[in-house]
């Protein structure tokens, strides 16, 4: 009979992320942003201590930069020391962002810390009260990339103990990100592990239950594509069952919201609506970056809509500069309620019908944005568009065109 164990699984801490795209923010906000990965890390350590876990698994990309800033390293070390004081072990593997061969100042960690030092899969035992309860299997990236599969090298040590695999890599079918140490769910299942602690993909997802194969996602969102709550899992392994609890750690949330604006809303109403909505978000999420879409009708003449909205956005944001839990509007979109019947127009023989049919058959905007995305300077800052974003761009283009064309009819 195996005794139960409790551990915390996290990955992609990206400590000291530079948040390059946020330099334009007012000082206090930018400071909060720059501190956010550290704050998230502190919260994670608190969860581990409060939940009295046996150990913590960190599945790669602890540091954001291969150079590992001294600040990030010292902060990390302090967290590990706090865990060690509570007799909590930490198992660390390094990923494509903090690979081993990069130049950085070496740190000494407490005895409770176990680092996978090589690209070869190794097994490190976990002992509780002198009894070996689990083996943790893992590896670290020695170079910036690991292109070959690693799953085949994970071999359970014994049936008598729990076997946990730590793997920083991606599903071979995932083409949205760089594919490292590729695997399929079936391949992982064949290895006979009791739990797979994955890292690399920043979106939280459970790929399989019984046994669990889990991406906890990163601990703090870093841009508009990393939305909502971010955190880690507390995992309880029992002989015949496993339970997972999500614990949020993020200090700042990235949110996308749509606000419905009724007809006849005047500027004064709009102000009231936005203020109370912002306060709701503040209560719900704490610090947040929000991208908002106004749906419905705005109290401005169409030609002035964009400039008025931009001006209002600045006014709304100015009020946030002194607030501890700020809610900062990053972008405002307007989505007018169309006063045309798309289906009816689509079936028409005229130009508008042809245009809508073109939109429906249109698959990829890549050829039009390719030059921008892959420009030698821009590509450092831009990420390829997701399928959702591409569709969104298409929808907006259609709306703009139809709005002008229908008006001219
Ligand atoms: Mn990562």
């Amino acid at each position: 009979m195996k005794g139960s164990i409790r551990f915390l699984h996290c990955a992609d801490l990206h400590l000291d992320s530079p948040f390059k795209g946020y330099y334009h923010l007012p000082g206090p906000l930018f400071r909060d942003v720059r501190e956010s990965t550290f704050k998230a890390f502190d919260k994670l350590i608190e969860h581990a201590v409060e939940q009295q876990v046996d150990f913590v698994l960190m599945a790669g990309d602890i540091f954001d930069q291969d150079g590992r800033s001294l600040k990030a390293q010292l902060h990390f070390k302090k967290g590990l020391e706090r865990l060690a004081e509570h007799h909590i072990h930490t198992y660390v593997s390094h990923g494509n962002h903090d690979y081993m061969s990069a130049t950085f100042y070496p740190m000494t960690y407490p005895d409770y810390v176990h680092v996978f030092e090589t690209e070869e899969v190794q097994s490190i035992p976990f002992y509780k009260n002198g009894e070996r309860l689990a083996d943790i299997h893992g590896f670290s990236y020695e170079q910036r990339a690991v292109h070959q599969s690693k799953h085949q090298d994970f071999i359970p040590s014994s049936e008598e103990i729990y076997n946990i695999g730590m793997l920083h890599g991606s599903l071979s079918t995932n083409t949205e990100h760089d594919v490292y140490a590729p695997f399929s769910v079936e391949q992982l299942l064949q290895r006979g592990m009791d739990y797979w602690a994955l890292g690399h993909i920043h979106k939280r997802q459970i790929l399989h239950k019984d046994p669990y194969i889990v991406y906890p996602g990163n601990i703090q969102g870093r841009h508009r594509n990393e939305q909502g709550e971010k955190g880690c899992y507390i995992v309880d392994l029992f002989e015949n069952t496993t339970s997972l609890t999500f614990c949020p750690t993020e200090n700042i949330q990235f949110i996308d919201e749509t606000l419905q604006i009724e007809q006849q809303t005047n500027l004064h109403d709009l102000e009231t609506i936005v203020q109370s909505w912002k306060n709701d978000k503040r209560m719900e999420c704490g610090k947040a970056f929000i991208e908002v879409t106004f749906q419905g009708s705005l109290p401005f003449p169409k030609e002035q809509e964009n400039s008025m909205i931009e001006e209002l956005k600045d006014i709304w944001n100015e009020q946030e500069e002194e607030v501890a839990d700020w809610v900062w509007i990053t972008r405002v979109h307007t989505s007018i309620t169309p006063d045309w019947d798309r289906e009816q127009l689509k079936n028409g023989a005229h130009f508008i019908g042809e245009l809508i049919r073109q939109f429906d058959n249109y698959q990829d905007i890549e050829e039009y944005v390719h030059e921008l995305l892959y420009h030698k300077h821009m590509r450092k800052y831009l990420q390829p568009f997701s399928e959702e974003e591409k569709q969104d761009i298409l929808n907006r283009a259609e709306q703009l065109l139809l709005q002008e064309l229908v008006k001219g009819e």
Side-chain angles (χ1 to χ4, degrees), residues 12 14 61 96-97 168 200 202:
D12 299 281
H14 286 264
D61 286 1
N96 52 307
H97 273 262
H168 190 85
H200 183 49
H202 291 184

Side-chain angles (χ1 to χ4, degrees), residues 104-316:
F104 52 86
Y105 190 82
M107 289 275 155
T108 324
Y109 297 131
D111 288 343
Y112 280 84
V113 179
H114 316 276
V115 179
F116 292 96
E117 308 254 347
T118 68
E119 212 160 283
E120 241 165 79
V121 176
Q122 294 187 319
S123 308
I124 305 178
F126 164 70
Y127 288 92
K128 191 173 179 178
N129 305 325
E131 191 191 347
R132 182 170 155 204
L133 291 185
D135 270 11
I136 322 297
H137 310 267
F139 68 97
S140 281
Y141 284 47
E142 285 179 18
Q143 308 293 335
R144 197 182 291 274
V146 170
H147 293 294
Q148 72 277 26
S149 289
K150 302 298 286 183
H151 57 86
Q152 67 282 352
D153 302 334
F154 286 75
I155 298 159
S157 326
S158 142
E159 295 264 307
E160 308 296 308
I161 58 169
Y162 295 108
N163 287 277
I164 297 169
M166 279 174 77
L167 173 55
H168 190 85
S170 32
L171 281 170
S172 20
T173 49
N174 184 336
T175 50
E176 268 190 42
H177 300 265
D178 294 325
V179 175
Y180 295 137
F183 58 83
S184 68
V185 167
E186 290 69 31
Q187 284 166 333
L188 295 193
L189 292 178
Q190 281 167 16
R191 305 316 309 163
M193 294 282 143
D194 296 296
Y195 184 91
W196 278 99
L198 305 179
H200 183 49
I201 302 300
H202 291 184
K203 188 174 168 22
R204 178 167 77 249
Q205 45 195 313
I206 292 173
L207 301 183
H208 193 268
K209 293 176 176 180
D210 194 24
Y212 272 99
I213 303 177
V214 177
Y215 280 116
N218 51 350
I219 61 169
Q220 166 62 55
R222 298 178 310 146
H223 46 73
R224 59 197 288 255
N225 292 340
E226 298 183 347
Q227 296 215 350
E229 281 189 315
K230 293 282 178 180
C232 56
Y233 281 108
I234 301 283
V235 183
D236 285 294
L237 277 187
F238 302 93
E239 175 133 37
N240 296 315
T241 168
T242 304
S243 82
L244 250 71
T245 312
F246 175 72
C247 294
T249 54
E250 90 286 333
N251 188 242
I252 301 169
Q253 277 203 34
F254 288 80
I255 309 171
D256 239 351
E257 282 260 323
T258 301
L259 253 187
Q260 202 67 42
I261 307 296
E262 302 303 327
Q263 277 201 340
Q264 325 262 307
T265 300
N266 61 30
L267 184 58
H268 177 77
D269 301 334
L270 184 68
E271 185 66 14
T272 315
I273 293 169
V274 169
Q275 291 307 343
S276 84
W277 163 76
K278 277 203 324 186
N279 286 332
D280 289 349
K281 287 288 125 189
R282 200 186 316 278
M283 296 292 286
E284 191 186 317
C285 314
K287 296 182 183 65
F289 284 117
I290 306 196
E291 191 165 330
V292 61
T293 303
F294 289 117
Q295 199 156 45
S297 47
L298 288 168
F300 318 118
K302 269 273 164 288
E303 320 70 80
Q304 293 171 14
E305 201 174 87
N306 284 341
S307 62
M308 301 281 267
I309 278 291
E310 279 306 305
E311 205 173 328
L312 278 175
K313 187 188 88 178
D314 289 344
I315 296 168
W316 292 328

Side-chain angles (χ1 to χ4, degrees), residues 359 362-363 365 390-399:
F359 267 108
Y362 208 75
Q363 292 304 324
I365 60 162
K390 285 184 194 171
Q391 194 53 50
D392 193 42
I393 291 171
L394 270 179
N395 291 346
R396 276 165 209 234
E398 183 190 289
Q399 251 192 17

